[in-house]
Amino acid sequence: MTLVEHAPANHPKVPTRRIGVLVANLGTPDGTDYWSMRRYLNEFLSDKRVIDLPRWKWQPILQGIVLTKRPFSSGANYKTIWNEEANESPLMTITKEQVAGLRERAAALWGDRVIVDYCMRYGNPSTEAVVDRLVKAGCDRILFFPLYPQYAGATSATANDQFFRALMKQTWQPSSRTVAPYFDRPDYIEALAASVQRTLGGRTPRKLVASYHGMPKRYLMQGDPYHCQCQKTSRLLGERLGWAPDVIDTTFQSVFGREEWLRPYTVEHVAELAKRGITEIAVISPAFSADCIETLEEIQGEIREAFIHAGGKEFTYVPCLNAEPDHLNVLTTIITENLSGWI
């Protein structure tokens, strides 16, 4: 804390000026019990960016049928992957590891002038709480970084929305920037390719299924660029690996509700591959910056089982980039570029 120059002796002390870098991910429940899951799912599924049905139509369904039953099934799924030692979800554990690595890199580059922190769009630590903490620590400029390589209204945009809402509550509002999607950056593609090569030992699989989180097809028709950016990521990854164009298939998972979502659906596609005699596949999830319920439970559980049940023999999962050094180097480079003019 410092005194303001030329201010009277009784003037409130002002924190030393710093820059905040706030990385954001989707979120995680605080526990696997019914009420923790219900709070988390209620916040997530009440987001108009996620479910855009009219409130009068959706909320009775959500508060009635969905939040009566789904916390039990979702809690059971989380229990299968829960980090019991730390009493937290793997997404939380990995996010902490990522932030620790980014803090080391930031300290080496800029000393104590830059503070790196993290928040979740849903659950804790909330965006509002961390923004407030950064402002109180003297951050008069904040770079907000949603950890989604591909842009989608239901991920990047809603994270930004929440960041802007948090800024609205600040008396002395910091200057702010948001990071653009990075789905086609050469260094990001290089990191993806390295993860594939590490996992597969340099061999080329019969099929690499690039499974991205799904969304209603209607969102694509309304102008959301997510589908196109996913396709480009897959194409660039295949080109970097030097594979034939038909080795990588782009699919979409986590379908919810009755309307049509982006196709092909991963769970159906891997079963169809097995039925066609392709009994050895690998699966990667380029849309996730950290392994989470969708990768650790859905892909390695439901999707793997669908493949094996249909006649598949060998199923290899390529982990997310997580806190791998090359991934953290990519994120640090992106942060450095976006801090241009500030530091």
Side-chain angles (χ1 to χ4, degrees):
M1 304 291 281
T2 60
L3 288 173
V4 179
E5 189 177 2
H6 305 303
N10 62 350
H11 190 283
K13 290 185 178 180
V14 176
T16 302
R17 293 183 66 201
R18 289 188 174 88
I19 297 170
V21 174
L22 180 53
V23 297
N25 217 318
L26 181 74
T28 171
D30 294 326
T32 61
D33 60 283
Y34 174 83
W35 288 109
S36 293
M37 291 304 312
R38 184 180 175 110
R39 284 192 298 271
Y40 173 72
L41 290 171
N42 182 49
E43 184 179 10
F44 175 45
L45 297 175
S46 292
D47 186 347
K48 290 283 289 184
R49 291 276 197 181
V50 176
I51 306 291
D52 66 348
L53 295 173
R55 183 176 177 84
W56 65 265
K57 189 175 186 179
W58 171 238
Q59 280 298 317
I61 298 172
L62 175 63
Q63 300 301 327
I65 300 172
V66 176
L67 292 181
T68 298
K69 297 181 178 180
R70 188 151 181 170
F72 290 109
S73 59
S74 294
N77 291 337
Y78 267 99
K79 283 180 182 178
T80 65
I81 64 166
W82 200 252
N83 182 345
E84 296 292 348
E85 182 178 352
N87 191 27
E88 62 189 19
S89 73
L91 175 64
M92 180 67 76
T93 302
I94 294 168
T95 300
K96 289 178 178 178
E97 292 171 352
Q98 291 172 328
V99 170
L102 292 174
R103 284 171 175 163
E104 289 180 4
R105 286 160 172 77
L109 289 168
W110 306 300
D112 63 354
R113 291 179 293 167
V114 173
I115 300 175
V116 180
D117 213 330
Y118 72 97
C119 66
M120 299 294 178
R121 170 60 183 89
Y122 314 105
N124 296 305
S126 71
T127 306
E128 181 180 334
V130 183
V131 166
D132 189 62
R133 183 162 69 225
L134 289 173
V135 171
K136 289 177 178 175
C139 295
D140 61 355
R141 291 152 291 173
I142 297 177
L143 175 66
F144 186 69
F145 192 173
L147 291 182
Y148 305 110
Q150 300 80 18
Y151 174 95
T155 54
S156 309
T158 190
N160 287 336
D161 290 345
Q162 197 73 349
F163 174 58
F164 299 141
R165 280 191 284 265
L167 292 178
M168 291 171 63
K169 298 185 178 181
Q170 291 299 319
T171 301
W172 188 350
Q173 191 179 72
S175 299
S176 62
R177 294 175 178 173
T178 60
V179 174
Y182 52 99
F183 64 97
D184 59 353
R185 286 180 61 101
D187 51 0
Y188 164 66
I189 298 299
E190 184 68 32
L192 284 179
S195 72
V196 172
Q197 292 169 332
R198 277 195 303 269
T199 302
L200 300 182
R203 63 185 173 87
T204 302
R206 287 285 304 280
K207 281 288 184 184
L208 175 66
V209 177
S211 180
Y212 298 83
H213 198 287
M215 69 164 53
K217 183 179 179 181
R218 174 169 48 86
Y219 291 11
L220 167 64
M221 306 313 292
Q222 291 171 349
D224 194 300
Y226 178 71
H227 177 267
C228 301
Q229 293 183 2
C230 293
Q231 295 286 353
K232 187 172 184 181
T233 296
S234 295
R235 176 175 61 80
L236 292 174
L237 175 59
E239 291 174 357
R240 167 58 187 83
L241 291 166
W243 293 351
D246 62 349
V247 174
I248 297 183
D249 291 349
T250 297
T251 64
F252 300 90
Q253 64 184 85
S254 309
V255 176
F256 177 78
R258 296 182 179 180
E259 70 175 302
E260 183 177 3
W261 282 41
L262 297 177
R263 289 182 180 271
Y265 300 155
T266 304
V267 67
E268 295 178 357
H269 187 72
V270 298
E272 181 60 29
L273 290 176
K275 292 174 183 176
R276 284 164 40 195
I278 300 175
T279 60
E280 179 262 320
I281 66 171
V283 179
I284 188 172
S285 299
F288 298 100
S289 62
D291 277 305
C292 53
I293 188 74
E294 287 85 358
T295 64
L296 300 175
E297 192 280 327
E298 185 178 1
I299 288 181
Q300 298 194 72
E302 177 189 358
I303 291 169
R304 178 193 293 269
E305 289 169 8
F307 177 69
I308 299 300
H309 183 74
K313 302 297 182 184
E314 185 176 345
F315 183 104
T316 303
Y317 173 63
V318 180
C320 292
L321 296 179
N322 295 326
E324 292 289 341
D326 52 356
H327 185 213
L328 297 182
N329 290 340
V330 172
L331 300 181
T332 301
T333 301
I334 294 172
I335 290 169
T336 302
E337 292 172 358
N338 280 270
L339 291 181
S340 177
W342 276 2
I343 197 167

